[in-house]
Amino acid sequence: GLQVCISAAFFMLLGVFLGPVLYLFLQGAVGRATVLLLLAMAILFPSSVVFIFLHRYGPIFIVLYRQRIAAALQLSFSLLRQKLRESLILAAFLIGLSILFILGLTFLLTLLGLPIGLLALLLLKLELFTAFYVFLLGAVAVGMVLTIALSAGFAVYQNIAWVLAVRELVKTQKFAEKAKEALAAEPVV
């Protein structure tokens, strides 16, 4: 529900800005449309960052602190507002790690693919076409399984990093008491 709300709000905001820009372009007012497009992008870029963080922090508040959707959105926005710099630093760090992961995975697949490619060429030279296709299909399947397994492991690492970051950021916030109350056991009557 939270992700539907955030996505719907984002697409409504996108529609509010995209509609007039498209209308002006269709009417031939290219200059006005370009200026409006630049203004829309200046508003949509920071808004997109907020929506991305709400999308990231909201489920953590729902699961970890047992909050409802509205409270999770409010707590997520408050956390982002108070800890924007830390959130951006963590996001940049994880994006950098993602780029390194993709480069490392590409290097690994290339390194493993070279001997496989040479063996496949040898099978072609020997005119063992059935063996070539079976070998190539098996190599592609192993490569896909390796890619999926490593990508899943990296995704788990990223999600754990976000959860731990939110827990640490909540500890230093003004609303930490409210989040702690959500975790506290209710007295038995």
Side-chain angles (χ1 to χ4, degrees):
L2 173 96
Q3 293 176 351
V4 168
C5 290
I6 293 171
S7 298
F10 174 74
F11 285 118
M12 285 180 6
L13 183 67
L14 184 65
V16 165
F17 287 112
L18 193 58
V21 170
L22 288 176
Y23 176 76
L24 287 174
F25 272 120
L26 291 175
Q27 294 301 318
V30 176
R32 289 181 181 175
T34 304
V35 170
L36 190 59
L37 178 63
L38 292 175
L39 288 173
M41 288 173 57
I43 294 171
L44 280 175
F45 180 72
S47 299
S48 297
V49 171
V50 170
F51 283 120
I52 288 169
F53 279 109
L54 291 178
H55 215 304
R56 176 62 64 184
Y57 290 163
I60 296 171
F61 278 109
I62 288 174
V63 173
L64 195 61
Y65 296 106
R66 294 187 174 105
Q67 297 293 315
R68 297 208 176 269
I69 292 173
L73 283 172
Q74 183 181 11
L75 289 169
S76 297
F77 186 75
S78 181
L79 177 66
L80 180 62
R81 188 174 46 100
Q82 293 177 17
K83 294 290 189 176
L84 179 63
R85 185 172 56 106
E86 291 87 348
S87 297
L88 290 174
I89 289 170
L90 178 63
F93 176 73
L94 289 175
I95 289 170
L97 278 181
S98 296
I99 292 170
L100 287 176
F101 173 76
I102 290 169
L103 291 174
L105 184 63
T106 304
F107 178 74
L108 176 67
L109 291 175
T110 303
L111 193 63
L112 293 175
L114 287 175
I116 291 171
L118 291 174
L119 188 55
L121 284 175
L122 178 65
L123 290 172
L124 272 179
K125 291 265 185 197
L126 296 173
E127 296 182 3
L128 299 170
F129 299 113
T130 305
F132 168 76
Y133 289 120
V134 169
F135 180 72
L136 200 58
L137 186 63
V140 168
V142 168
M144 288 175 59
V145 167
L146 181 67
T147 301
I148 290 170
L150 291 176
S151 297
F154 188 70
V156 167
Y157 167 77
Q158 285 184 317
N159 286 328
I160 290 172
W162 280 111
V163 169
L164 292 176
V166 168
R167 286 182 63 191
E168 192 61 34
L169 292 173
V170 164
K171 287 180 185 177
T172 62
Q173 294 307 300
K174 295 176 185 173
F175 61 85
E177 285 76 29
K178 185 176 180 182
K180 286 179 186 174
E181 287 174 13
L183 290 177
E186 294 183 15
V188 177
V189 181

